[in-house]
Amino acid sequence: MNNYPNWVLKHKAKNIEIRYIKGNYYSYKIRNIWDSKKKRARKITEKYLGKITPEGLTKPAKERALESVENIVFKEFGASDFILSSCSDIIEKIKANFGNNSNLIILMAIYRFIHNSRIKNLEFYYETSFLSETIRADLSPRLVGIKLREIGMQRALTQKYLKNFMVASEYEIIDLTHIFSLSEGVISSTIGYNGNHDYTSQIRMVLLFDPENHTPSYYRFVVGAIKDISTLKLTIEESGASNIILVGDKGFYSKNNVEELEKLKIHYILPLKRDSSLIDYAKIQKGSDRVFDGYFLFERRAVWYYSYIKESKRIVVYIDELLRTEEKKDFLSRIEEKKYEKTTEDYFEKESIFGTISVITDLEKSPKELYELLKSRVEVEQVFDTYKNTLQADRMYMRDDYQLEGWMLINFIALQLYYKIYTILLSKDLLRKNSPHDLIEHLLRIFKLRINNEWKVSEIPKKTKDLMEKLEINIPHNT
């Protein structure tokens, strides 16, 4: 034993035996037991511990393999990396405007978009994402609440950030209905009424949208009970925007509202209720010549239209063939299921107006352009429905107006991220088959794995890889 080198003897200990075999040194765990037959102690080898080298003990290959598996850490990578690269212009503007809070804002907005995360889950998504290795921030619920208030108190910074996106020649202004607040401390939230007969305290959000670039550009939240032109006027003044088009809902039209809009030089496209006296259905009623001004294709379906002047206002009536078919089917189904007291006579009486959408406007745009603007409002509302209905993010438990202002900024940036991905899909003609969230779901399947302190990109599923190739998405590969 004394002939063993010192670097070998360092591994000698109680119940550890060193063996010299064919020029190499090996370590074994042993123990002694009493052999009653031989009346003496007998050595038993319990375990091979590994090969001893000047560098230390090399454990058996099986143990090394098991340890490497135990040391594997995997974190979400594909979706967050894609957002950082594809939305870099938004990310850079956040960094330029919000200073020390920029990392927190970026992370919260990304997780709101990717996971529809509530505040209590932000920390979990951060810890399981590779962003936790590259962007430092504390997303604990308590600190997030403090930071949201701090961000909300600096509305001037938010305005400065938003004005970076006020570069279009034309904007839609959209009054985005109710957003509930269940917090007594939010004084801007007041008892209000909405189409669901819900009288929960609520605020309203006014949004400026760039229809040409499919980009939310500016927002402002207002007291829940206010739904008049003064709300729009103050929002426009704050944003500094010009050439505004109000795209309203069916409840907004009135002669007084139109007069106020014209005084403020705000253009408008306002849907009319089907029983409005302004609508002339003569051209499409049964027995008429049904003479239309023309048609256009919208999302691969025909939309017919005719327009006229009534009470010095331009009225355009659209007949959407797909909507017409759906409404006919729905009406007959309700008769069949006896959901209301209607008959086939009622059906034939209403048949001519099924599928119609009528608007009043002061714009000289073509019927197709007007229709596209009208439908863009629907696009925006669908995204907000995700936040409001699916996530119940409209029911916010913010402690006060400042926290609410901060949380609204996070949701607005998440909306910007959504539309950035939307335009990418649109540019590649992939929007019909893949929504922004569909793409994110695919990219969420790409992880980074840490194996023996080295990060590697996981295998990419074939369908995900095919979609990435169509979109020319490059995820960094292993070297």
Side-chain angles (χ1 to χ4, degrees), residues 380-391:
V380 179
E381 289 188 332
Q382 284 174 344
V383 179
F384 263 87
D385 278 344
T386 301
Y387 290 113
K388 290 169 58 178
N389 301 327
T390 305
L391 319 175

Side-chain angles (χ1 to χ4, degrees), residues 151-175:
I151 293 164
M153 291 176 70
Q154 299 173 319
R155 173 67 183 176
L157 290 182
T158 297
Q159 288 176 322
K160 184 181 176 184
Y161 166 76
L162 295 174
K163 287 184 178 180
N164 284 288
F165 303 95
M166 300 296 295
V167 295
S169 59
E170 184 176 83
Y171 293 96
E172 293 177 62
I173 189 166
I174 301 171
D175 181 14

Side-chain angles (χ1 to χ4, degrees), residues 334-345:
R334 289 173 180 269
I335 294 175
E336 193 73 21
E337 295 167 10
K338 297 181 180 179
K339 288 188 176 180
Y340 52 38
E341 295 180 1
K342 298 290 182 180
T343 66
T344 51
E345 289 183 5

